[in-house]
Amino acid sequence: MRRVRRSRHFAGAALAVVLLLLGALTACAGDGKAFSLSAPEIFYAPANGGKKVFPLRVDGPGPYTPGARRLTVDVEAGSERAVRLRDDSRDCRGSATHVVCEGPAAHLIGLTTDAFAPLAAKGSKPGDTGYLRLTYVMTDGGKLTARTRVIVGEPSLELLTPAPDKGVRPGAVVTYPVVVRNAGDVPVRGLALVVDAGDLAFVQRYANCRYPDLQHGSQAVCSFPDVRIAPGRSVTVRPGLRLRASATTMYGSFHRLVWPLKAGPGPNQSFSRGGEHGDGPALRAEAAKTPSGTFTEAGDFVSVLLAAGADYEVSGADLHGDPGDTRKVRLTVRNNGPGNPGYSTRLVFVPPPGTAVLKEPMTEIDDGDFEPYCDNDGFTYTCDVEGLQPGASRTFEFTLRLGDPATGSVRLEDTGSGPSASPAPGGTSGRHDPDASNDEASVDVGG
């Protein structure tokens, strides 16, 4: 069975610290350290009575924690017909309108909680509204409070997937539309858009977007606080995003996320803190007719294919010696450019008949634990070639015990060809090699 090596898409985004766009009030612990309780300005409760995590956080300075805590949640008077509280948690007790959480459920330093959650009240309908009052009491008597508006029903934001590229000139500036549709049952108030440039680079930095230092300018966190998208309606972001394509990455991509700004990001949506706003014009979210096409909920990866190929060249070898002698053979793959096709190529080595492979390339899978890098069926060795930048090379070394004079072979093939074919990341494969004459070589054993 072939091992699948995962492509590292946007590792920086996966490590980003979640910053909730929340309203908060602050208080001080007994030693003067400031704390804040953050709750979403708006919480959308599913109209079907389903449960959602409530993104409540207590943030404090450094590693300091104030000890045992108690959290009280109240449905404000007049809101009972719209919202009720989940009261079946092990650590939260109370009623549909008043819940007290103690123990682990109240340990909210820097975390979100699902110990309680606002639910749509029986008989409520999409658009009904109520309010929660949250009070967090620390052991020194300090109190933190917050208030959240609960709306029955949910918006569901979707992104229009751009039409596939037919091939972008290396290093060219390309413009991509951003169209957001609300497929939910209530309007969305405020829109957040995050773009991770990935293999591309921003050409313009916009005034209503932050560019976090942690991501070194590769991430834009954009806010549209005044936008409203009714169910079934769409907005388009103008001007379109201008990005510069990679000069070498043949199968590139960038990543986009959207969510209701005043509700905060979803559980799998993250972005980085801080960063300066751009010095360019502000992006605008304008009402637009919903176009036809494919929409993806919450986020997507947009593929960017370069109109370029990669000339990979493989070297063979001439081995001299008597039967029984050992020799090392070094099979080198070089990328002559101009593109980098990523994990799209395999080296296939067929040793000369009568030779035995004594050593083969190994890879460390754990500290001090190795396994063969190449797959083999007892005679043919198939080795993945990682993406090579133009001018770079990769060498695979084997130790052979020679037999009688004979000829073996080494060749390059795309991951989308051959008996163990598998698609490259992004659903594409191949080097589009402009010179296939140097994709094969012989490995000869002579006297």
Side-chain angles (χ1 to χ4, degrees):
M1 179 179 294
R2 293 189 57 78
R3 296 183 302 279
V4 177
R5 291 176 172 82
R6 296 182 179 177
S7 176
R8 294 177 295 174
H9 281 296
F10 309 109
L15 297 173
V17 179
V18 174
L19 174 63
L20 299 177
L21 300 178
L22 309 172
L25 296 177
T26 61
C28 293
D31 62 356
K33 293 179 179 289
F35 285 82
S36 65
L37 177 65
S38 297
E41 181 179 342
I42 294 176
F43 181 84
Y44 295 100
N48 62 6
K51 299 175 182 178
K52 286 174 54 180
V53 169
F54 188 85
L56 181 67
R57 295 170 58 98
V58 174
D59 292 302
Y64 175 82
T65 60
R69 308 155 190 88
R70 183 176 72 254
L71 173 69
T72 302
V73 186
D74 292 290
V75 175
E76 293 188 357
S79 300
E80 300 89 346
R81 293 185 178 181
V83 59
R84 64 182 180 89
L85 298 175
R86 171 188 175 189
D87 56 2
D88 59 353
S89 169
R90 181 182 63 183
D91 298 300
C92 297
R93 294 291 184 268
S95 67
T97 59
H98 174 81
V99 164
V100 177
C101 302
E102 296 180 305
H107 291 190
L108 302 172
I109 297 295
L111 300 173
T112 59
T113 181
D114 60 358
F116 74 92
L119 304 173
K122 185 177 180 179
S124 63
K125 60 184 183 301
D128 287 350
T129 298
Y131 290 88
L132 299 183
R133 174 68 63 176
L134 304 107
T135 305
Y136 188 79
V137 181
M138 297 181 287
T139 53
D140 61 1
K143 290 185 177 181
L144 310 174
T145 62
R147 188 172 188 250
T148 293
R149 180 184 183 187
V150 179
I151 298 176
V152 177
E154 296 179 282
S156 177
L157 297 183
E158 301 176 333
L159 283 161
L160 176 67
T161 302
D165 286 315
K166 296 181 179 180
V168 174
R169 180 173 53 84
V173 174
V174 287
T175 301
Y176 289 93
V178 177
V179 178
V180 183
R181 178 175 69 182
N182 181 7
D185 49 16
V186 294
V188 64
R189 296 166 173 83
L191 173 68
L193 166 69
V194 175
V195 180
D196 286 295
D199 300 299
L200 290 77
F202 292 111
V203 174
Q204 177 73 68
R205 294 192 171 205
Y206 301 99
N208 56 332
C209 302
R210 293 186 295 102
Y211 297 84
D213 295 337
L214 183 63
Q215 304 304 324
H216 307 290
S218 67
Q219 185 181 76
V221 182
C222 308
S223 300
F224 306 87
D226 299 324
V227 71
R228 184 180 186 277
I229 312 174
R233 301 291 185 176
S234 300
V235 297
T236 185
V237 174
R238 301 186 189 281
L241 291 177
R242 299 181 69 226
L243 299 166
R244 186 177 301 279
S246 169
T248 59
T249 302
M250 292 170 54
Y251 303 111
S253 64
F254 64 95
H255 185 34
R256 307 180 300 175
L257 289 170
V258 289
W259 62 77
L261 177 67
K262 297 180 181 180
N268 298 316
Q269 295 175 313
S270 63
F271 58 99
S272 297
R273 296 179 182 270
E276 298 292 332
H277 284 79
D279 55 4
L283 292 172
R284 308 180 309 278
E286 300 177 351
K289 181 180 178 180
T290 301
S292 59
T294 301
F295 283 82
T296 304
E297 184 178 2
D300 64 3
F301 285 91
V302 179
S303 296
V304 181
L305 310 182
L306 293 190
D311 176 21
Y312 271 32
E313 175 182 2
V314 65
S315 64
D318 290 317
L319 305 175
H320 299 280
D322 296 324
D325 289 349
T326 60
R327 294 290 185 270
K328 291 182 179 180
V329 58
R330 294 170 59 85
L331 307 175
T332 298
V333 181
R334 175 183 169 83
N335 181 7
N336 296 322
N340 176 357
Y343 279 95
S344 65
T345 303
R346 295 189 296 252
L347 176 144
V348 181
F349 172 43
V350 181
T355 64
V357 176
L358 304 179
K359 291 183 179 180
E360 61 180 291
M362 305 292 286
T363 184
E364 189 171 17
I365 58 174
D366 203 351
D367 188 19
D369 188 9
F370 293 82
E371 69 175 10
Y373 179 81
C374 306
D375 295 325
N376 76 83
D377 59 4
F379 190 66
T380 299
Y381 292 78
T382 303
C383 314
D384 287 335
V385 181
E386 70 272 21
L388 299 174
Q389 288 290 349
S393 61
R394 169 69 188 270
T395 297
F396 300 90
E397 183 175 280
F398 294 82
T399 300
L400 307 180
R401 183 173 62 237
L402 303 185
D404 293 328
T407 296
S409 66
V410 59
R411 71 179 187 274
L412 302 176
E413 65 179 28
D414 290 342
T415 55
S417 63
S420 57
S422 60
T428 55
S429 65
R431 303 182 306 278
H432 302 290
D433 198 320
D435 182 7
S437 66
N438 54 13
D439 290 356
E440 299 185 29
S442 62
V443 178
D444 296 311
V445 173

